[in-house]
Amino acid sequence: MTGGNKSLRPERLAYLAGLAVMGVALLFLLGATGIVVAAVVGVLCLGAVAGGRSGVRAVRARRWGRPGTWLSLGAACVSTGVGGFAVAYLTGILSGGLDVEEACVHGHGVSYDDAYREAHAQEFNRWFPLSSKCNENFDLVPAWVNPALVFFALLAAIGVLCLAAAVVTALRPRRDR
C-alpha cells in the first residue's frame, strides 16, 4: 500500500476546509445581500479552494521554481483576499442598517446621541476605518471588521506578487530553470 492515509494529506484538508468556509460564507451572503453577491463571492471562493489545493500540492513536492506553483498560490491568495475583503466590508457597511437610530435603540438597546453623530458626521462617511457609532461609547461596526479589511487587502497584495512571480518564472529562458 503506497501513499498512506489519504484523508490526512494537507492538500485534502485545505480543500475540505475551503469548501466548508465557502459554504458558510455563501449562506451568510445569500441571507444578507442576495444572490448576485453570493454568486460572485462563490466564484472567488472556488478560485481560492482550487488554487489553494494545487498550491499545497506544489509546495509539498518542492516545485517552487515552476510557474504553475506561483499561479496556484496567487489565484488562491487573490481570490481569498478579494472575497474576504468584500464580506468584511459589506458587514461593516451594512451594520448600521438604513436607520441607525433604530438599530441602536431597538437592535442593541443603547442610547442614540444625535448631537454626537452630527458633530462627528465626517467620521461616519469615511471608506476606512469603518465606523457607525450610536454614541461616544458604542460602535455598530463589529470590532473585527477593520483588522479583517487590512488582513484581506494584504493577502490580495501577496497574491498579486505571486502572480507576478508566475509571469517572471514563465518568461525566464529554459536554461535558467
Side-chain angles (χ1 to χ4, degrees):
M1 181 157 62
T2 60
N5 189 354
K6 291 185 178 185
S7 65
L8 297 179
R9 289 189 176 170
E11 64 267 16
R12 183 162 177 85
L13 291 174
Y15 179 71
L16 293 175
L19 287 178
V21 168
M22 183 176 70
V24 170
L26 288 178
L27 287 175
F28 169 75
L29 284 176
L30 190 59
T33 60
I35 196 160
V36 174
V37 174
V40 169
V41 172
V43 169
L44 291 172
C45 287
L46 284 176
V49 170
R53 184 177 188 187
S54 40
V56 169
R57 281 184 185 161
V59 169
R60 283 189 71 212
R62 292 183 175 80
R63 293 181 283 169
W64 286 103
R66 296 186 183 174
T69 302
W70 293 109
L71 185 65
S72 297
L73 293 173
C77 287
V78 168
S79 297
T80 305
V82 170
F85 187 89
V87 170
Y89 202 80
L90 284 173
T91 301
I93 290 293
L94 299 175
S95 64
L98 296 176
D99 187 3
V100 177
E101 182 176 5
E102 184 177 326
C104 292
V105 175
H106 299 296
H108 295 280
V110 296
S111 64
Y112 178 80
D113 188 357
D114 196 31
Y116 178 82
R117 294 225 12 126
E118 286 180 21
H120 298 88
Q122 288 181 343
E123 180 181 332
F124 306 128
N125 292 330
R126 291 187 302 202
W127 287 68
F128 183 80
L130 295 177
S131 179
S132 181
K133 291 189 173 188
C134 296
N135 54 42
E136 186 178 352
N137 300 320
F138 189 80
D139 196 351
L140 290 171
V141 176
W144 61 268
V145 169
N146 289 316
L149 292 175
V150 172
F151 172 76
F152 287 120
L154 289 174
L155 188 62
I158 290 169
V160 169
L161 291 176
C162 287
L163 293 175
V167 170
V168 168
T169 306
L171 294 178
R172 262 191 336 206
R174 283 251 187 225
R175 58 184 157 79
D176 289 346
R177 288 190 212 169

